[in-house]
């Protein structure tokens, strides 16, 4: 079944926003790349801001769903490592230009409270997911562990664009192992 025009616009806009930035990508560029007329975009989204919010919401849902699936399949005691691997897969498949939420936070801190809040909320959701995963692995008694893991994973969002996917993910795996091994040792 072909994607709806709305879904096609979301996919096209997401790709352009991610590769070129939000402010650098105009409505004319989006409708041209999507092969639709401007009115089609405005029939689905009342403004560029509404389009950006919809793109970020859809992307965040897909990201969180991918983490949840990985954690659900993890054997006992391995949920956090599976979450980290799912994050790495996401970077490799969808975020080689860095994190679109961090881009949104940077571009809209002074320009749109709604977009900035959505992106910040997505990062808080990610931290909460890590916290729940740490608890599932029996490491809930390790203060600050989820924050340290978030720091490592968020660092990979930045370094993937600088160092390349293979290096960034190899370094991230090594750091995740060090942080988790230390927590297990200290908590034992």
């Amino acid at each position: 079944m072909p994607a709806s025009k709305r879904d096609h616009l979301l996919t096209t806009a997401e790709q352009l926003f991610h590769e070129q930035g939000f402010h650098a990508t105009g409505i004319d560029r989006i409708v041209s790349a999507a092969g639709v007329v401007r009115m089609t975009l405005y029939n689905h989204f009342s403004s560029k801001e509404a389009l950006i919010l919809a793109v970020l919401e859809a992307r965040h849902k897909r990201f969180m769903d991918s983490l949840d699936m990985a954690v659900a399949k993890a054997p006992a005691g391995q949920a956090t490592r599976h979450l980290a691997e799912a994050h790495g897969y996401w970077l490799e498949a969808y975020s080689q230009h860095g994190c679109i939420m961090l881009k949104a936070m940077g571009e809209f801190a002074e320009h749109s409270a709604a977009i900035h809040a959505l992106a910040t909320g997505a990062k808080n959701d990610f931290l909460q997911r890590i916290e729940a995963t740490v608890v599932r692995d029996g490491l809930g008694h390790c203060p600050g562990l989820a924050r340290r893991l978030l720091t490592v994973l968020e660092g990979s969002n930045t370094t993937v664009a600088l160092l390349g996917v293979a290096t960034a993910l190899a370094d991230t795996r090594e750091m995740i192992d060090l942080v988790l091994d230390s927590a297990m040792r200290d908590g034992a």
Side-chain angles (χ1 to χ4, degrees):
M1 174 181 207
S4 72
K5 287 187 180 185
R6 183 182 192 281
D7 291 341
H8 182 60
L9 281 163
L10 283 172
T11 301
T12 302
E14 179 179 333
Q15 179 182 353
L16 292 170
F17 291 149
H18 194 243
E19 291 173 359
Q20 300 172 8
F22 297 97
H23 290 353
T25 304
I27 293 297
D28 289 338
R29 174 75 180 103
I30 295 166
V31 297
S32 174
V36 300
V37 296
R38 188 181 268 263
M39 186 51 76
T40 301
L41 185 140
Y42 287 117
N43 284 337
H44 295 284
F45 307 99
S46 60
S47 64
K48 183 178 177 182
E49 182 171 334
L51 174 61
I52 292 168
L53 288 165
V55 163
L56 294 177
E57 287 169 355
R59 186 174 175 94
H60 180 58
K61 181 180 181 339
R62 287 193 324 273
F63 174 64
M64 296 306 275
D65 287 350
S66 72
L67 297 180
D68 290 345
M69 285 179 25
V71 168
K73 295 176 183 177
Q78 295 296 310
T80 306
R81 282 188 170 89
H82 277 242
L83 180 140
E85 283 299 315
H87 178 269
Y89 172 77
W90 182 269
L91 285 179
E92 187 172 25
Y94 306 109
S95 291
Q96 292 187 19
H97 298 284
C99 178
I100 198 170
M101 293 298 173
L102 292 176
K103 288 179 183 190
M105 290 168 69
E107 286 194 44
F108 291 101
E110 302 296 322
H111 302 289
S112 171
I115 293 171
H116 188 266
L118 188 150
T120 302
K123 292 301 178 182
N124 282 319
D125 287 348
F126 186 31
L127 175 59
Q128 290 173 0
R129 200 63 108 256
I130 296 168
E131 288 169 344
T133 305
V134 164
V135 168
R136 177 180 166 169
D137 280 344
L139 297 170
H141 61 282
C142 301
L145 176 58
R147 283 192 330 272
R148 288 190 297 280
L149 293 167
L150 177 70
T151 300
V152 172
L153 294 172
E154 287 297 323
S156 67
N157 287 337
T158 302
T159 57
V160 72
L162 177 66
L163 303 174
V165 173
T167 301
L169 295 184
D171 290 349
T172 300
R173 285 182 186 103
E174 185 177 335
M175 292 303 299
I176 292 291
D177 286 344
L178 288 170
V179 170
L180 288 174
D181 291 348
S182 174
M184 286 186 247
R185 219 179 17 261
D186 293 346

